[in-house]
Amino acid sequence: MNRSAEAKTVVITGANSGIGKAAAIKFVSEGHQVVMACRDPGRAEQALREVTEAGGGRGAAEVMACDVSSLGSVRAFCAAFGERFERLDVLIHNAGYFNHGVRTYQYSADGLELTFATNTFGPLLMTELLLDALGRSDDARVLTAGSTNIKNFYDPKRAIEFDNLRGEHAETRPYTVYKMYGDSKMGLLLLTRRMAQEYASRGVKVNCVMIPTVRVDKATLKKFSGWFRVVGTLLQYWNPFALSQARMAETYHHLCTSPDFRDVTGAFVDHHHRVLPPHAHDRRLAPPTIVRELLATRHAPPYAGDPQNVERMWTVAQAAIAPADAAPARAPRVA
């Protein structure tokens, strides 16, 4: 590849491990310039050495500090990026927060529920702050990391707790990390759809990829607690359907570079590169249809197709990332 003519500038959050690191390796090996946006630059330096070595000199990578859960950190990262790079071609929101086994509410430095701060609000703020750089690309693509967890929204009673994203009801509603994670990923899908509409006039495409079960690093497994560690270990070593991190990185690369997706935006896509449109939100699904979707997903849940949900998520998220609305920290971050 002729880097001067074809190389893309790529930002990948959470690129110090897992799928993010595998994606950084993939993009660098294809000759692109990768910025690894990581919460802990010190830990990321080892990942940077691995990415650079695996890239074989075909591309380049560097680390820039960014804690996606912190609005201030995201703003600082985007300002620093703007000083060094004029254009951004690919933005991959890979970083995520899912603290297995935690049973109490966790908050970001801005007083936001930590899962939503990391998985939903941070990506929106970063995208908005990098819009000018994305607008200078002739093929700007943004990819958000979704999850199969949103299939829980096939339960017609399931809904995002929009009124509890700062822990307003922490005293009366029990904290369930699995549910909060699923809600945050549905929120990210709703924002993906709205961002696609908002940024279309600037030529910026925004899509969401549904990440299935993926094998995790042993270091990540050690962070799990209770039955999460047991299940994680089983998935790591015994699940024949679990994808490798490199396989998922291939999907990231395809969705962000292939001509097949040059004009696709606002889509929910699986690792087979199939677009999964939402079911009609105003029609109740028959139980056999729900079972088929749970076993072999071909659509997003109806909840993702409801314009009212999209609008409410957009309104709540815009308020959350507005500087004037940032609340004081409710509690220290728990790693």
Side-chain angles (χ1 to χ4, degrees):
M1 172 180 286
N2 183 339
R3 289 189 61 207
S4 63
E6 301 180 46
K8 295 180 182 295
T9 300
V10 182
V11 168
I12 305 174
T13 65
N16 63 306
S17 63
I19 301 172
K21 183 173 74 174
I25 290 173
K26 175 62 179 176
F27 278 92
V28 170
S29 68
E30 294 292 333
H32 302 297
Q33 167 73 48
V34 175
V35 174
M36 302 165 62
C38 302
R39 183 164 62 93
D40 185 343
R43 291 177 55 195
E45 286 301 323
Q46 174 59 38
L48 175 62
R49 288 190 287 271
E50 295 176 25
V51 169
T52 301
E53 180 178 354
R58 289 178 289 277
E62 63 180 272
V63 172
M64 291 180 65
C66 183
D67 179 352
V68 182
S69 75
S70 166
L71 303 180
S73 181
V74 171
R75 292 189 179 99
F77 168 82
C78 293
F81 180 89
E83 292 176 356
R84 301 202 48 236
F85 298 91
E86 181 180 355
R87 188 190 80 241
L88 176 60
D89 301 290
V90 174
L91 172 58
I92 300 178
H93 295 297
N94 169 79
Y97 177 78
F98 184 6
N99 200 338
H100 303 75
V102 169
R103 299 185 180 182
T104 57
Y105 284 82
Q106 308 295 301
Y107 302 97
S108 73
D110 306 286
L112 300 167
E113 193 285 316
L114 188 54
T115 314
F116 265 84
T118 308
N119 301 348
T120 313
F121 301 139
L124 173 62
L125 177 61
M126 180 177 289
T127 307
E128 298 228 317
L129 293 177
L130 293 176
L131 269 181
D132 286 344
L134 286 163
R136 297 187 188 103
S137 170
D138 63 359
D139 184 20
R141 305 192 198 186
V142 178
L143 185 66
T144 62
S147 170
T148 55
N149 193 304
I150 71 160
K151 290 194 285 188
N152 287 288
F153 280 82
Y154 273 106
D155 178 354
K157 297 180 181 179
R158 180 68 175 263
I160 295 175
E161 295 181 23
F162 289 106
D163 62 341
N164 196 31
L165 300 186
R166 290 185 182 272
E168 293 92 334
H169 299 279
E171 300 300 323
T172 57
R173 297 181 191 174
Y175 181 82
T176 304
V177 64
Y178 186 76
K179 181 181 184 300
M180 193 65 78
Y181 179 78
D183 286 3
S184 73
K185 289 301 184 179
M186 174 55 77
L188 184 60
L189 176 55
L190 296 174
L191 289 182
T192 297
R193 296 186 62 208
R194 181 57 183 271
M195 284 191 286
Q197 298 169 7
E198 290 288 322
Y199 311 151
S201 63
R202 306 186 70 160
V204 178
K205 282 80 66 176
V206 189
N207 294 300
C208 181
V209 59
M210 182 174 72
I211 299 178
T213 300
V214 175
R215 294 186 178 90
V216 300
D217 300 325
K218 291 183 179 180
T220 300
L221 276 177
K222 291 180 180 180
K223 296 179 182 178
F224 294 3
S225 60
W227 70 273
F228 283 105
R229 180 178 293 183
V230 175
V231 172
T233 302
L234 291 174
L235 292 176
Q236 176 81 8
Y237 297 106
W238 298 102
N239 184 357
F241 301 105
L243 297 184
S244 69
Q245 295 167 0
R247 171 65 181 82
M248 203 63 222
E250 292 277 354
T251 297
Y252 278 19
H253 182 266
H254 184 84
L255 298 182
C256 293
T257 64
S258 171
D260 296 343
F261 282 85
R262 185 179 180 96
D263 299 317
V264 177
T265 191
F268 189 43
V269 188
D270 69 8
H271 66 283
H272 298 293
H273 312 156
R274 297 176 299 202
V275 174
L276 310 177
H279 278 287
H281 70 278
D282 55 354
R283 187 170 57 196
R284 190 176 183 86
L285 297 180
T289 301
I290 295 176
V291 172
R292 285 197 300 270
E293 290 289 353
L294 293 176
L295 295 175
T297 304
R298 293 294 183 271
H299 298 79
Y303 192 92
D306 190 335
Q308 292 186 356
N309 294 334
V310 174
E311 184 62 29
R312 189 170 185 189
M313 188 70 254
W314 181 257
T315 300
V316 169
Q318 288 292 339
I321 66 175
D325 289 346
R330 294 287 301 275
R333 178 173 180 149
V334 177

